[in-house]
Structures are given as C-alpha cells and as structure tokens.
Amino acid sequence: MIFSRTYRYQSSMRPDDIKGRLVGKHVKVHNMDFEVSEKDRMLRIIPHAEEENEIKTLPITHVELTGKGDKTQVVISAKMRKIDSGGPMLILIFCLFLLIGSGATFYFGKNEYLTYTYTLGSIGVLILLVFWLRMERGYFDYVRKIRDYIKNQSVA
C-alpha cells in the first residue's frame, strides 16, 4: 500500500533487552500518546486517540525482533489505521481521475480543449501536492518520530 513504510536495521542489543526497554512505555508525538505493547512475540505501537476531537491520520506500528547471533534484526513496519485510510484514498483516486481526464483531453481533444486539459492537470497536481505535504507533516512525521524513538531505545 502507498501509505505503508518498512524500516530494517541491526542492533547490538539482545531482543529481550530491547523489549524490556520498550514494552509498557508511552511515546508522545505531537501531543498524541502512543502505547507500546507486546502481542504474539511482536511489539505494537498503537495510538490512544479516544479523546481526540480533530481528524488525524495515525499509524499503527509493528516491531519484529529477530536474534541473529550477537546482533538483533529490527524490522519496523507502519501502516495507516483502517478507520483513517478512506479519506486519503479518496483524495488520491480523485487526483488520479483528474490527471487521467487531463491526459485524455490532451490526447483525444483538439486545440480548443487545451485550456481544459491544462486546468484539469493543474488542479490535479495542485491537490496532490497539498495533500502530500500535509501527509508529510502529519502521518509520515508520526511514523518517522516513532521509528527514531525505537532506534534510540535499541542502541546499546
């Protein structure tokens, strides 16, 4: 999916030590509380958004720890909550239709339709650009800060 991110790195700490540092802790990102819990030998970082009145797109992060000798392979995967994924997907589909419409009028249309072609294309690109910049400041910033927190806790 377009909003999923996966990061891999190796730590010199053992998996149990990393779990001990993370499980039960709370992470604050942009005044939003995320709790670290363990389920099926995997760490999950889930937002506490019950009290939130604003609409926010939040990630659910899974951390897999695999011991490889004296090192630990850490795999951090973040995906959008299902409840949050509808709006961003609709915006992407709308922009895609605008760009397809612009391309179709450019290819099949005559010179008198070039104004519509450029208008549709410009609107589609502008909406996509504003949307992506807001996602970078919101959702992807949450993902980056949670990843950095996990990295800082797993350094020996």
Side-chain angles (χ1 to χ4, degrees):
M1 180 145 183
I2 194 168
F3 301 113
S4 298
R5 297 289 183 261
T6 301
Y7 305 98
R8 291 178 173 79
Y9 68 94
Q10 287 193 358
S11 175
S12 59
M13 293 179 66
R14 295 181 324 170
D16 294 333
D17 295 337
I18 296 172
K19 283 182 186 177
R21 284 187 173 189
L22 292 173
V23 174
K25 301 288 195 281
H26 290 263
V27 181
K28 278 274 203 200
V29 179
H30 298 297
N31 295 324
M32 177 68 65
D33 184 43
F34 290 82
E35 182 180 3
V36 182
S37 62
E38 184 176 10
K39 183 177 180 183
D40 299 331
R41 298 184 313 153
M42 181 184 303
L43 300 179
R44 295 176 13 162
I45 303 170
I46 299 174
H48 287 284
E50 295 85 22
E51 308 88 34
E52 282 299 314
N53 296 331
E54 297 178 28
I55 297 174
K56 294 185 178 184
T57 305
L58 301 170
I60 293 178
T61 308
H62 293 111
V63 181
E64 293 181 48
L65 304 169
T66 307
K68 293 186 174 185
D70 60 343
K71 297 202 181 260
T72 301
Q73 175 76 28
V74 181
V75 179
I76 303 169
S77 57
K79 64 179 181 177
M80 192 177 292
R81 297 186 310 170
K82 288 183 182 180
I83 194 169
D84 295 335
S85 64
M89 288 305 294
L90 284 175
I91 292 172
L92 284 179
I93 290 170
F94 179 70
C95 291
L96 181 67
F97 280 143
L98 284 175
L99 294 174
I100 289 172
S102 174
T105 57
F106 182 77
Y107 186 73
F108 295 114
K110 299 177 177 126
N111 285 340
E112 63 220 32
Y113 297 122
L114 281 180
T115 305
Y116 299 115
T117 300
Y118 295 139
T119 303
L120 280 177
S122 299
I123 290 171
V125 168
L126 182 66
I127 291 172
L128 187 62
L129 181 67
V130 169
F131 167 72
W132 202 258
L133 289 174
R134 293 207 48 181
M135 288 295 285
E136 283 293 329
R137 283 192 352 220
Y139 172 76
F140 291 120
D141 194 41
Y142 284 115
V143 172
R144 281 189 298 270
K145 289 187 177 181
I146 290 171
R147 177 197 64 200
D148 292 343
Y149 173 77
I150 294 168
K151 278 185 159 181
N152 289 338
Q153 295 298 316
S154 63
V155 173

